[in-house]
Amino acid sequence: MAAPGRVAAFRLPPLPTIGEIIKLFRLKAQRQLSQNFLLDLRLTDKIVKQAGELKNAHVCEVGPGPGGITRSILSAGVEQLLLIEKDARFIPGLQMLSEAAPGKVRIVHGDILTYKMEKAFPKHLKKDWEDEPPDIHIIGNLPFSVSTPLIIKWLENVSKKDGPFSYGRTQMTLTFQKEVGERLTANPGGKQRSRLSIMAQHLCSVENCFVIPGQAFVPKPEVDVAVVHFTPLVQPKIQQPFELVEKVVRSVFQFRRKYCFRGLETLFPESGRLKRTEQLMMTANVDPTLRPFQLSMSQFRNLCNTYRKMCDEDPSLFVFNYREELKQKKKKRNLLKSTSQPEQTEEEDQL
């Protein structure tokens, strides 16, 4: 019996194990969807613990599958749990969980990449961006095939303060391939430093919480899995539009093993390319002989700010597409009726 004045902790009634649910509904992980089930409830509890205090919180779980993490979230005493599952085979098992927690679970059969998160939670939960994060959390054991495009989409939402971040600085606890987790948190000079490192770290505080060995999953993936926690920053480290930052960062890492000068050249049309690249690097005070993974966040900020000024002076710069320029050059070469097949350029080979 609960002590007077205290609310008893929520407990799920006795339920079939996750393994039994899988057998009962004849569920089988589909490799083409990169599905992997986590059956160990001690590990699902550990994942949910990384999200922080969930008592009376509103949580969205992405891709709950057979419901292992779902049970751990419900056991944490959440107020409401929204489940977004694309695979219809899992819905009956999730409905069983919903019936075991009356009034707490809402199931959406849909794709998280297209689901409108702006209306997913009650309006009263909204907080100003400068305040503490709202009592809303996103948790998910993501299929590998969707994890990177989804986090890029959500980072863009963070930048624009829309989607799940229209409620404030909503926190996320998500799984990725170990290598992707290392990229998300890599420091300057690290071998995993990449476009993903800059895009995530300039918008969020990113923590690589712990690694789950592959053998903990069914079927066992060929890689280990990292659990990563994100908290959006009050002020982004680069205060420029998401599209501009992504264009500069993507260009820098275009030729990862070459000097950063080489990638930055792709921001400019062939006519005047060298002069404009030199102008960009001199104004931003960036050493052109540094490799992309050696650049600090402040150097990326300088590059983005300088490029923005150059685009303001010449609006055609921002819409310039290096790949499109290469395609046009290739078309022109193909129009020349020569007996020998033109060789592929180094740029085309690397791209």
Side-chain angles (χ1 to χ4, degrees):
M1 190 171 182
R6 294 185 65 184
V7 179
F10 176 78
R11 286 186 181 277
L12 285 168
L15 288 165
T17 66
I18 299 298
E20 288 167 346
I21 290 281
I22 289 170
K23 287 179 183 175
L24 178 64
F25 295 104
R26 297 179 180 178
L27 302 173
K28 188 177 180 182
Q30 296 189 359
R31 285 195 176 274
Q32 65 267 34
L33 298 177
S34 58
Q35 291 175 339
N36 303 97
F37 303 150
L38 189 56
L39 308 187
D40 189 337
L41 293 184
R42 290 170 302 177
L43 284 172
T44 61
D45 285 346
K46 192 175 178 183
I47 291 171
V48 170
K49 192 176 179 181
Q50 300 304 317
E53 179 56 61
L54 294 184
K55 191 166 181 61
N56 300 324
H58 288 246
V59 177
C60 171
E61 186 188 354
V62 183
I69 293 177
T70 313
R71 296 185 186 208
S72 296
I73 295 171
L74 287 170
S75 296
V78 298
E79 178 74 19
Q80 287 285 325
L81 175 56
L82 168 65
L83 303 176
I84 301 177
E85 178 54 65
K86 185 179 180 180
D87 192 333
R89 297 175 305 143
F90 297 120
I91 301 298
L94 296 174
Q95 284 172 337
M96 184 184 290
L97 272 177
S98 177
E99 289 162 10
K104 283 187 175 286
V105 180
R106 181 158 59 99
I107 302 169
V108 172
H109 178 212
D111 188 342
I112 188 62
L113 285 167
T114 56
Y115 182 71
K116 302 294 183 186
M117 294 283 281
E118 292 88 345
K119 299 176 181 177
F121 305 103
K123 288 182 180 179
H124 74 265
L125 295 173
K126 286 191 176 185
K127 286 197 174 184
D128 290 336
W129 195 259
E130 294 74 21
D131 292 345
E132 288 298 304
D135 226 1
I136 296 172
H137 298 261
I138 298 173
I139 299 175
N141 173 29
L142 304 177
F144 295 154
S145 60
V146 79
S147 60
T148 302
L150 184 56
I151 194 58
I152 288 291
K153 171 180 161 50
W154 276 339
L155 289 171
E156 183 171 4
N157 290 144
V158 171
S159 176
K160 296 177 178 177
K161 300 177 185 175
D162 60 13
F165 308 97
S166 59
Y167 295 88
R169 297 186 295 121
T170 300
Q171 297 178 78
M172 302 182 285
T173 307
L174 306 167
T175 62
F176 298 88
Q177 289 184 51
K178 182 185 174 186
E179 185 179 314
V180 177
E182 289 170 350
R183 286 182 197 160
L184 285 162
T185 55
N187 294 317
K191 65 178 183 177
Q192 294 286 20
R193 186 76 162 176
S194 66
R195 175 177 72 109
L196 205 51
S197 317
I198 310 303
M199 297 311 295
Q201 292 171 33
H202 105 83
L203 290 163
C204 296
S205 166
V206 190
E207 180 190 357
N208 199 334
C209 303
F210 65 96
V211 173
I212 304 174
Q215 59 260 34
F217 293 85
V218 178
K220 177 189 169 187
E222 295 179 1
V223 294
D224 293 337
V225 173
V227 177
V228 183
H229 183 75
F230 302 80
T231 305
L233 299 169
V234 173
Q235 288 288 349
K237 293 178 181 174
I238 305 171
Q239 295 190 36
Q240 294 294 348
F242 183 86
E243 294 84 359
L244 185 141
V245 177
E246 189 181 38
K247 185 178 183 183
V248 172
V249 174
R250 187 174 63 242
S251 297
V252 170
F253 283 99
Q254 190 104 257
F255 304 103
R256 181 180 172 79
R257 293 182 179 84
K258 293 182 179 284
Y259 294 144
C260 62
F261 183 96
R262 183 66 193 85
L264 285 165
E265 283 185 320
T266 65
L267 288 170
F268 305 106
E270 191 171 26
S271 173
R273 176 171 289 155
L274 184 61
K275 184 179 178 182
R276 281 177 153 176
T277 308
E278 287 175 347
Q279 178 192 345
L280 171 63
M281 303 213 73
M282 285 180 65
T283 308
N285 194 27
V286 172
D287 182 349
T289 63
L290 289 173
R291 311 285 178 182
F293 58 87
Q294 293 176 309
L295 297 182
S296 67
M297 188 63 75
S298 62
Q299 287 172 316
F300 273 106
R301 181 173 59 242
N302 291 348
L303 288 168
C304 290
N305 290 343
T306 305
Y307 180 64
R308 171 66 183 270
K309 287 178 183 175
M310 296 173 80
C311 289
D312 288 345
E313 292 166 7
D314 180 2
S316 68
L317 268 188
F318 187 69
V319 295
F320 168 72
N321 187 312
Y322 180 68
R323 291 169 183 265
E324 191 58 39
E325 185 185 69
L326 281 182
K327 283 181 187 176
Q328 295 304 321
K329 283 170 70 176
K330 190 174 181 181
K331 274 185 183 178
K332 285 179 183 177
R333 282 204 312 273
N334 289 342
L335 286 172
L336 299 173
K337 295 182 179 180
S338 57
T339 52
S340 60
Q341 184 70 25
E343 292 183 9
Q344 194 172 38
T345 64
E346 182 192 8
E347 290 96 333
E348 290 168 331
D349 183 52
Q350 294 225 23
L351 289 169

